[in-house]
């Protein structure tokens, strides 16, 4: 099936209309009409080859909400017309220890990402959600609970699960003290989800500009990370800090904010960070860790949790042809708090 999409042809070029071929349905496949696709900062990194592994042309997009159009002969989980979601991964070996325990993102053979990965069967490079349709094997297609607003749910599929997974891994519960560094797409979901779990949340931002937003999102306060006195006063006051900063930055100011046995989990920057100091790690048995999206079961758990709690991302809906401007704004942190493309605008 031919389908319309938006692609970058090189790191230097803007995204532009592009026609792609979606595969004919295999017995386990689900064909989806895409309704909405969120715009993740990773899309921007991949379009510009910031990580050095982009294969062009790249069709970004891994926060996908749509409706089932057609199913393969062996599909049992989904039916035509169902509202469904696809996140950052579309296949894995489904057989290794990690896949068996539902951590497909850690698959020993490597997960197949929604865009930019070779398909396990035919080797074709996958293309993501900046398109009208997608074909995905059924296990990697999630159910969207009836109570979730389809127009706002898309960012749960990456920004949501990427912040929910560390909250669950480090067992955040009512009363946990959680810090969130960087109030963007991931950061605002971290605030809503941690608050939804009953944690006391503090935003760490570069300025006080987002103070009112932080409180409205459910945080108890905002700490300006450039205010040395305020940072010193907050020493040893967090159990978990989720760092969403998308660029190389200094971790030194954040580690001492952790209490004994606290964890600073990096979900933003992929690659080098500025030099770290082990002293506060040793003295407080503090940890610096990383986390990558989340598995299928945990993503479904997140969708169900958000439906039950009425948690939805704060979205600015855009047209597909506004994507390059949206990237420029995202680079300036001028988005409150996630762009979502209305795919009806791509025709
Ligand atoms: P975003 O919407 O652009 O938000 C990033 C926030 O970080 C900004 O709002 C800003 O918050 C702060 N920030 C931006 N530039 C900064 C700088 N140079 N120094 C310090 N702070 C800065 O991006 P996002 O979509 O949330 O993605 C964040 C990062 O997570 C990206 O690198 C993305 O690739 C990565 N990511 C990782 C995973 C994973 O599985 N681990 C999944 C998805 C995305 P303030 O204005 O409040 O300071
Ligand atoms: Zn993402
Ligand atoms: Zn596996």
């Amino acid at each position: 099936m031919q389908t319309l999409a938006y692609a970058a042809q090189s790191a230097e070029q803007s995204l532009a209309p592009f026609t792609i071929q979606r595969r004919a349905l295999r017995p386990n496949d689900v064909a989806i009409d895409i309704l909405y696709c969120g715009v993740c900062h990773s899309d921007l990194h991949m379009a510009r080859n910031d990580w050095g592994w982009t294969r062009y042309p790249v069709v970004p997009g891994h926060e996908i909400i749509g409706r089932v159009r057609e199913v393969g002969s062996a599909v049992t989980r989904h039916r035509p017309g169902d509202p469904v979601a696809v996140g950052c991964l579309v296949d894995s070996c489904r057989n290794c220890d990690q896949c068996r325990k539902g951590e497909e993102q850690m698959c020993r053979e490597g997960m197949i990402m929604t865009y930019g990965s070779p398909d396990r069967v035919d080797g074709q490079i996958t293309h993501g959600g900046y398109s009208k349709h997608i074909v995905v094997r059924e296990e990697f297609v999630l159910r969207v609970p009836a109570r979730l607003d389809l127009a706002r749910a898309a960012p749960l599929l990456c920004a949501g699960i990427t912040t929910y997974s560390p909250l669950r891994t480090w067992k955040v519960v009512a009363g946990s003290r959680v810090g969130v560094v960087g109030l963007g797409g991931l950061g605002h979901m971290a605030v809503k989800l941690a608050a939804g779990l009953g944690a006391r949340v503090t935003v760490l931002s570069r300025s006080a500009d987002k103070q009112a937003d932080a409180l409205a999102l459910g945080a108890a306060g905002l700490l300006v990370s450039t205010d040395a006195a305020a940072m010193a006063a907050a020493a040893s006051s967090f159990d978990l800090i989720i760092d969403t900063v998308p660029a190389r930055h200094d971790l030194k100011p954040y580690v001492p904010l952790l209490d004994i046995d606290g964890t600073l989990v990096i979900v933003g920057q992929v690659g080098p960070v500025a030099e770290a100091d082990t002293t506060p790690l040793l003295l407080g048995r503090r940890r610096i860790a990383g986390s990558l999206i989340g598995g299928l079961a945990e993503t479904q758990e997140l969708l169900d949790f958000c439906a039950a709690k009425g948690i939805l991302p704060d979205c600015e809906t855009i047209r597909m042809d506004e994507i390059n401007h949206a990237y420029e704004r995202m680079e300036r942190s001028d988005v409150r708090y996630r762009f979502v493309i209305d795919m009806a605008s791509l025709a």
Side-chain angles (χ1 to χ4, degrees):
M1 181 198 350
Q2 285 213 326
T3 185
L4 282 175
Y6 255 60
Q9 302 290 342
S10 76
E12 291 73 35
Q13 282 171 275
S14 301
L15 273 74
F18 185 59
T19 302
I20 56 172
Q21 194 72 32
R22 293 298 188 187
R23 66 177 181 247
L25 292 194
R26 300 170 187 150
N28 295 317
D29 275 343
V30 177
I32 299 165
D33 293 330
I34 299 177
L35 299 174
Y36 299 98
C37 185
V39 179
C40 179
H41 206 115
S42 300
D43 298 347
L44 192 164
H45 288 308
M46 285 293 285
R48 307 232 171 120
N49 199 21
D50 288 346
W51 297 326
W53 66 63
T54 304
R55 303 174 213 227
Y56 293 96
V58 61
V59 176
H62 57 203
E63 293 183 339
I64 299 169
I65 293 285
R67 266 189 206 284
V68 176
R69 174 195 182 93
E70 199 184 339
V71 296
S73 56
V75 168
T76 57
R77 297 170 184 230
H78 306 286
R79 285 187 303 195
D82 286 353
V84 289
V86 178
C88 302
L89 67 169
V90 289
D91 206 357
S92 69
C93 86
R94 287 168 284 114
N95 206 24
C96 71
D97 59 335
Q98 297 304 307
C99 286
R100 282 181 184 277
K101 69 177 184 188
E103 301 253 48
E104 296 86 357
Q105 79 282 20
M106 302 286 166
C107 176
R108 302 282 180 186
E109 294 186 17
M111 65 162 163
I112 304 302
M113 295 187 301
T114 302
Y115 58 88
S117 285
D119 177 72
R120 286 178 64 87
V121 177
D122 62 20
Q124 296 287 315
I125 299 302
T126 55
H127 288 313
Y130 295 5
S131 58
K132 295 294 277 186
H133 308 98
I134 192 166
V135 175
V136 179
R137 68 171 292 145
E138 66 170 328
E139 297 90 336
F140 292 78
V141 176
L142 300 155
R143 283 179 294 102
V144 179
R147 287 179 58 195
L148 279 186
D149 178 354
L150 297 184
R152 287 180 65 188
L156 298 176
L157 279 303
C158 178
I161 185 59
T162 300
T163 50
Y164 185 69
S165 188
L167 293 170
R168 300 288 283 147
T169 299
W170 281 280
K171 300 187 169 44
V172 165
V173 291
S176 298
R177 301 159 299 168
V178 175
V180 175
V181 186
L183 194 59
L186 268 58
H188 98 290
M189 283 315 306
V191 173
K192 290 191 182 215
L193 293 167
L197 290 166
R200 180 185 164 82
V201 188
T202 304
V203 170
L204 292 106
S205 190
R206 290 167 294 177
S207 75
D209 294 355
K210 297 174 182 170
Q211 168 102 34
D213 286 2
L215 300 184
L217 291 164
L222 179 142
L223 198 51
V224 178
S225 51
T226 49
D227 179 342
M231 291 289 276
S236 303
S237 66
F238 293 99
D239 302 306
L240 181 71
I241 298 177
I242 300 182
D243 179 345
T244 76
V245 172
R248 187 179 181 132
H249 62 291
D250 195 353
L251 303 183
K252 281 203 209 87
Y254 303 111
V255 177
L257 302 188
L258 295 168
D259 204 351
I260 293 168
D261 283 323
T263 301
L264 171 66
V265 58
I266 314 285
V267 295
Q269 164 69 345
V270 176
V273 286
E275 199 179 329
D277 180 358
T278 65
T279 311
L281 299 180
L282 273 62
L283 294 185
R285 204 161 49 209
R286 300 175 174 99
R287 284 174 295 257
I288 299 175
S291 188
L292 179 71
I293 50 175
L296 296 172
E298 198 169 56
T299 308
Q300 188 65 61
E301 178 188 307
L302 163 73
L303 294 173
D304 296 342
F305 174 76
C306 289
K309 291 266 181 183
I311 295 175
L312 281 169
D314 287 9
C315 303
E316 178 177 339
T317 306
I318 61 166
R319 296 171 46 83
M320 186 71 256
D321 60 13
E322 293 174 314
I323 188 66
N324 294 303
H325 182 55
Y327 277 7
E328 286 165 24
R329 285 183 52 196
M330 184 182 256
E331 275 194 307
R332 299 195 297 268
S333 301
D334 174 23
V335 47
R336 302 203 174 186
Y337 277 90
R338 197 61 142 183
F339 292 117
V340 171
I341 305 159
D342 180 352
M343 218 45 77
S345 67
L346 176 60

